[in-house]
Every structure is written in C-alpha cells, then in structure tokens.
Amino acid sequence: MKILVSYVPKADGQLVIWANTYKEKLGLLGAELGLSEAVIAEQQAAAQSLIDSINKVSRKKAELKEATSAKELAKQTQLQLIRAVATRIKVMPAYTPNMGKELGIIASNHLVDENEVKPIITVVSQPGYVSIGFNKQRMLGVSLFSRLKGELEWNQLCSIKKSPFIDKSPLREDGQPEIREYMAICFNGFGNKGHWSDIATVVHGG
C-alpha cells in the first residue's frame, strides 16, 4: 500500500518558506501553465495571507516572551523597592496597624485548614522534560506523583517548595511517546495534608 506524503510542510517555519516559493514561482509559471491572471492573483494572495498569519503568531510569541521576562524583572526589582519602603513605614512614629492594613503591607492572618487544602497543578511537555507547575495553597510545598496512563500504582517524584518542577524522567521506550499522569498533595514539612489534586495528563514524546 502506498503512503501519500503531503507536499505541504507542517512546521510553520518551513511552511512560510514553501508559501513564499509557491507565490513567486506561480507568478513566473502561471501564465505558461495556462492559468488566468485572476487565478494567479488569487493563489498568490492566499499564499501571502498564510505567510502573514504565521508571521503574526511568531511576532506575538516573541512579544509575549519579552513581556514575561519584563514582568519577572519588575517583580524582582520594583517589589524590592516597595518592600524596602514598607519596612521603613512600619517603624515610623505615626504608623498604626490600621494604616498597614489600608496599605496592604500586613500579612493576612487567615489560618489555613491543612485538612481541606487541595493543590492545583498544570503540566506541559517540552523537549526532554515535562514542566509541572503548581499552586501550593499557602502551604510549605507539595508532594508530586506520576504514572503512565493505565497503571494503578503512583510513583512519588519529590516533595518540592517552588514551582515549577522539571521532570526529566526518560521515556520507558526510546522514541515511543507516552501518556503521563501527574497528581499532587500539599506538604507541611512533616507530612502530606489535605486532598489530592485533580489528575493532570500530558502526552510526552521525550
């Protein structure tokens, strides 16, 4: 049985190159092939629209990456400045706890019910690893577990305080993508507490 392979590339970068080539060569060969000017123009416009759409997404991805980096830098530098002044404010003669509450510079005293906490996790497959982000619900950290879909037993990966955790576990079979499941429970430094998170599933190709 013959397997037909598409002449249209799947990767966006290669698709842009292919569409550019098609657009240019059709302008040179279209009339010779017997295509009307209207059809040639329509095809070239379709190719250009495809190119523009892919390039727009690439630009947006670059902008998002830059904005994310700028945000993290701002959180490090600007919050450091704010915390420094907040520390000074708290020792000023006119300062009162009520002022601190209004400014939002007093930590919340809400107690965490360790028996009711339930972490939230998200998983993303990347080349060579799976990134596991988590919200630890104001606890010290979480204990992470994983298994292949269809297995019964969970394997503990680690107890960790800072998100995300990078799981570099190799594939069970080289070159064979696998469906992995992840789950977490909050950790208070002495043991696991609260409810299990929902199971997060990802297809990982190594």
Side-chain angles (χ1 to χ4, degrees):
M1 181 179 66
K2 292 184 178 180
I3 299 177
L4 298 179
V5 179
S6 176
Y7 53 80
V8 178
K10 290 185 177 181
D12 286 348
Q14 295 177 347
L15 186 53
V16 167
I17 296 173
W18 177 87
N20 263 313
T21 301
Y22 179 76
K23 175 187 171 184
E24 293 176 5
K25 296 301 182 181
L26 193 65
L28 298 174
L29 303 175
E32 183 178 343
L33 290 168
L35 298 175
S36 67
E37 291 184 2
V39 171
I40 294 172
E42 180 185 58
Q43 287 287 292
Q44 289 180 317
Q48 187 60 53
S49 177
L50 179 61
I51 293 166
D52 292 342
S53 297
I54 294 173
N55 287 339
K56 183 177 181 180
V57 171
S58 297
R59 289 194 299 270
K60 291 297 183 181
K61 286 182 178 178
E63 291 173 4
L64 176 61
K65 186 176 181 179
E66 292 176 2
T68 300
S69 297
K71 178 200 71 173
E72 293 302 323
L73 179 61
K75 285 170 67 175
Q76 293 177 13
T77 58
Q78 306 309 321
L79 281 176
Q80 185 176 359
L81 293 174
I82 292 172
R83 286 192 177 102
V85 173
T87 300
R88 289 172 51 198
I89 288 173
K90 291 180 180 179
V91 296
M92 289 179 172
Y95 173 79
T96 65
N98 188 56
M99 290 179 177
K101 289 181 180 179
E102 292 190 37
L103 291 169
I105 58 176
I106 295 180
S108 172
N109 59 358
H110 294 306
L111 297 177
V112 177
D113 187 345
E114 293 186 344
N115 295 318
E116 295 300 324
V117 290
K118 178 181 178 179
I120 299 171
I121 63 173
T122 57
V123 294
V124 179
S125 175
Q126 301 286 2
Y129 66 91
V130 174
S131 176
I132 309 166
F134 57 86
N135 182 325
K136 58 187 178 182
Q137 304 299 327
R138 297 167 61 195
M139 294 286 283
L140 180 65
V142 299
S143 294
L144 292 171
F145 295 77
S146 73
R147 70 182 181 186
L148 294 186
K149 187 174 181 63
E151 293 182 343
L152 297 178
E153 297 294 328
W154 289 91
N155 301 305
Q156 183 167 0
L157 294 174
C158 66
S159 293
I160 186 171
K161 299 178 182 178
K162 187 175 180 181
S163 176
F165 172 72
I166 303 302
D167 179 14
K168 296 184 179 180
S169 303
L171 297 174
R172 295 282 182 87
E173 298 182 22
D174 289 341
Q176 182 65 45
E178 57 194 27
I179 301 176
R180 294 185 179 182
E181 295 181 330
Y182 292 89
M183 190 165 59
I185 191 168
C186 288
F187 180 73
N188 68 357
F190 299 97
N192 297 328
K193 296 291 182 178
H195 301 286
W196 289 97
S197 71
D198 294 333
I199 296 175
T201 304
V202 66
V203 178
H204 183 53

